[in-house]
Amino acid sequence: MSAPEDQTTTTASSTEFFESIGKKADQLAPLTNGHGTNGATPADDDDGRVVEQIESLCMNCHEDGVTRMLLTSIPYFREVILMSFHCDKCNFTNSEIQSAGEIQPKGASYLLRLTEMVDFERTVVKSDTAVVKFIELDLEVPSGRGQLTNVEGLLSTVVDDLDLGQEARKEQAPEVYEKVAQIITKARAMLAGEAFPFRLSVDDPAGNSWISPNMRDGIGKWEKRDYVRTAEQNESLGLAATEETAATELDGADIIPDQVYEFPATCPGCMRPCTTRMTMVDIPHFKAVVLMSTACNDCGYKSNDVKTGGEIPELGKKITLKVESAEDLARDILKSETCALECPELNLQVNPGTLGGRFTTVEGLLTQIRDNLRSQIFETGSGGGDSLASEERETWTRFFEGLDTAIRGDKPFTIILSDPLASSYVQKAVDPDQDDPQMTVEEYTRTDEEEEDLGLKDMRTEGYEQDAANETTATEARPNGE
């Protein structure tokens, strides 16, 4: 009977290793009053240390140095290991961050639009598998050493690394030197706040990188998108490939509405074979949409998504719904992947792509948003959000209380859906040919930024035949001209 008790004890104690930095500091403070600098008294053993110390080889002078490790959790994110190396012989130093968790079921891509100096303070976790891009600089930082920093520190490091080899480039490759000098000049203007706005992208196929959000972020300020990794990305992460299974083909036949189709897939969580189910549902007075659901019997992974189809409309659509009763909470609502959601009374903004496609009720949609946010903020890691500043914690608590009140139907609010592809829908409470007094629908012209994000600026649907004919004529005439 002793084995289960020992196992329970071991499991409980392992979660205490990754406490929030606030709790680590609380443990460290009473021990540093005259007892050294590493948080351990002379009488303590290694298990009592907040920061672990390991003797390791210096890669610069090949003498012995010291590596310090701190196991902690980051609010809104997950457990990490902070490592710092210092050599007393040659004063070489190095710092790095590694994820203490497993590879996530999906990759994650973050996009932050910087518009003011305070945005430079956003925390950035860059794992060793992440690729960082400063889009306006046309600059990409490949995967490599993990970092825990902020936007200013990340950009400053890039500038310093580029500036380090400029003298050699000036002599060996003058053309490259000029181009790099232009990038450095523009990057320093960004750091000085003279080049707003600009965008930072962090793409991590392992899903272990992160840019900190802010509840005051409006639509388009901070975006997160989860995606299914490609076979090449899985191979680069060292994930074992599964046996290839032939997919079920429909042989060009039309998809029958309300009929469930099944085809084999690969689970993004455990990389084992699983089943994806698909069905097409015809929403009255709107359009047909495809519902997709994936479930893995091996690891329990589940996901669902809604895909809309059809031609791309010339105008986007904005739907505004006033929710005033329990009947309004029960309305069907379709939020597509490209749709942004806003509730001014609840101080809520959801960027396009954050939740993917959802076909549910108003109450169900708000519940999903609440659960996702709460899990990221208060339930991530063993700290449970304890390391949040008291003022910020109170702000988030008031936000969730207001959201819960709205879900219960005790507080009227407004939902605004802005979809540049007009693929979102809200059920009317009256006959389809009548105007709903609580809902307004208006069309709008897409902005240049929305056109670019959707890839519509580079899309051509006419003139291909003439272009091909002109290219063929030019190719045939070229030898004669020569």
Side-chain angles (χ1 to χ4, degrees):
M1 297 298 293
S2 60
E5 295 179 359
D6 294 340
Q7 182 177 2
T8 304
T9 304
T10 303
T11 304
S13 61
S14 63
T15 60
E16 298 177 359
F17 292 147
F18 295 94
E19 295 178 330
S20 64
I21 291 182
K23 288 187 176 181
K24 295 284 188 180
D26 291 340
Q27 297 175 18
L28 183 64
L31 296 175
T32 54
N33 296 326
H35 292 292
T37 59
N38 63 353
T41 63
D44 288 337
D45 57 10
D46 291 341
D47 294 336
R49 290 183 176 179
V50 175
V51 179
E52 297 292 334
Q53 295 187 11
I54 302 175
E55 186 175 311
S56 53
L57 180 67
C58 175
M59 302 305 296
N60 187 46
C61 67
H62 303 288
E63 297 290 340
D64 289 336
V66 176
T67 297
R68 293 177 173 84
M69 294 192 305
L70 174 64
L71 283 64
T72 185
S73 62
I74 299 177
Y76 311 103
F77 192 50
R78 55 177 64 91
E79 295 86 357
V80 296
I81 301 176
L82 303 179
M83 296 183 292
S84 175
F85 174 81
H86 177 74
C87 177
D88 293 331
K89 310 296 189 304
C90 65
N91 291 325
F92 174 75
T93 60
N94 184 34
S95 60
E96 189 174 347
I97 181 174
Q98 289 187 0
S99 173
E102 59 186 9
I103 296 176
Q104 303 306 308
K106 292 184 178 182
S109 176
Y110 293 87
L111 181 66
L112 175 65
R113 184 181 178 88
L114 289 89
T115 57
E116 54 185 341
M117 293 300 294
V118 70
D119 292 334
F120 280 110
E121 300 175 5
R122 299 288 186 103
T123 302
V124 178
V125 176
K126 175 188 174 298
S127 75
D128 55 359
T129 58
V131 175
V132 174
K133 295 180 182 179
F134 289 93
I135 298 175
E136 278 69 22
L137 277 179
D138 196 19
L139 178 66
E140 178 178 309
V141 182
S143 58
R145 181 173 60 93
Q147 290 178 275
L148 172 59
T149 179
N150 56 21
V151 178
E152 181 181 8
L154 190 61
L155 184 54
S156 298
T157 301
V158 172
V159 173
D160 293 341
D161 291 344
L162 289 176
D163 193 39
L164 187 62
Q166 276 295 81
E167 292 298 328
R169 294 190 193 100
K170 189 174 183 180
E171 297 179 358
Q172 300 173 4
E175 295 181 358
V176 177
Y177 167 81
E178 293 295 337
K179 294 180 179 180
V180 174
Q182 293 177 4
I183 295 176
I184 293 175
T185 301
K186 189 173 182 179
R188 286 174 175 166
M190 289 178 173
L191 289 170
E194 301 171 358
F196 290 128
F198 63 92
R199 292 166 293 172
L200 167 66
S201 168
V202 177
D203 188 351
D204 187 359
N208 288 324
S209 295
W210 177 70
I211 299 177
S212 63
N214 190 301
M215 67 177 302
R216 294 185 297 273
D217 290 341
I219 294 175
K221 178 77 172 180
W222 179 92
E223 298 179 11
K224 178 190 176 183
R225 179 178 62 87
D226 295 325
Y227 61 88
V228 178
R229 288 184 290 268
T230 63
E232 292 77 10
Q233 289 173 328
N234 282 328
E235 184 178 355
S236 66
L237 294 174
L239 298 178
T242 57
E243 297 181 359
E244 295 184 359
T245 307
T248 302
E249 297 182 357
L250 298 177
D251 296 330
D254 294 335
I255 298 177
I256 302 175
D258 299 325
Q259 180 172 333
V260 178
Y261 296 90
E262 295 185 358
F263 53 91
T266 300
C267 174
C270 65
M271 301 305 298
R272 294 181 179 178
C274 63
T275 301
T276 294
R277 293 174 175 85
M278 177 186 72
T279 184
M280 186 173 69
V281 178
D282 189 6
I283 300 178
H285 312 289
F286 185 56
K287 64 171 70 173
V289 299
V290 176
L291 306 181
M292 302 186 68
S293 174
T294 301
C296 178
N297 295 327
D298 293 312
C299 67
Y301 171 82
K302 294 181 180 180
S303 70
N304 58 80
D305 202 358
V306 180
K307 303 292 185 182
T308 57
E311 63 181 8
I312 297 176
E314 295 183 1
L315 301 174
K317 182 178 290 186
K318 182 178 181 181
I319 304 175
T320 303
L321 173 66
K322 295 181 179 179
V323 181
E324 300 175 349
S325 63
E327 289 74 15
D328 295 328
L329 288 171
R331 294 191 191 216
D332 289 337
I333 184 171
L334 170 63
K335 176 196 170 297
S336 73
E337 290 180 315
T338 59
C339 179
L341 182 146
E342 183 178 3
C343 297
E345 296 86 354
L346 305 179
N347 195 24
L348 172 66
Q349 297 96 21
V350 178
N351 290 314
T354 302
L355 286 176
R358 289 291 184 270
F359 182 40
T360 177
T361 62
V362 174
E363 179 184 0
L365 183 60
L366 289 182
T367 301
Q368 290 178 0
I369 295 172
R370 179 199 62 187
D371 294 344
N372 287 353
L373 281 175
R374 183 171 287 167
S375 64
Q376 291 182 25
I377 295 167
F378 290 117
E379 299 175 11
T380 299
S382 60
D386 291 340
S387 58
L388 290 174
S390 58
E391 181 179 353
E392 187 176 3
R393 185 177 181 84
E394 291 176 1
T395 301
W396 279 110
T397 301
R398 289 194 301 269
F399 169 77
F400 284 116
E401 289 175 351
L403 203 54
D404 289 336
T405 303
I407 292 174
R408 291 195 303 267
D410 297 334
K411 179 180 181 178
F413 60 94
T414 304
I415 284 184
I416 303 174
L417 300 177
S418 301
D419 193 341
L421 293 184
S423 297
S424 296
Y425 161 83
V426 177
Q427 179 186 16
K428 285 186 176 182
V430 296
D431 292 336
D433 57 346
Q434 298 179 356
D435 294 333
D436 192 328
Q438 295 177 227
M439 185 170 67
T440 60
V441 180
E442 54 184 312
E443 295 181 333
Y444 69 92
T445 303
R446 287 185 287 265
T447 63
D448 290 340
E449 184 177 353
E450 288 176 332
E451 294 271 353
E452 184 177 354
D453 291 341
L454 295 171
L456 300 180
K457 283 186 172 294
D458 300 327
M459 185 181 297
R460 293 188 59 189
T461 58
E462 298 177 354
Y464 285 107
E465 298 85 355
Q466 186 62 38
D467 289 346
N470 293 339
E471 185 177 350
T472 302
T473 302
T475 303
E476 294 176 351
R478 189 174 299 124
N480 296 332
E482 294 177 351

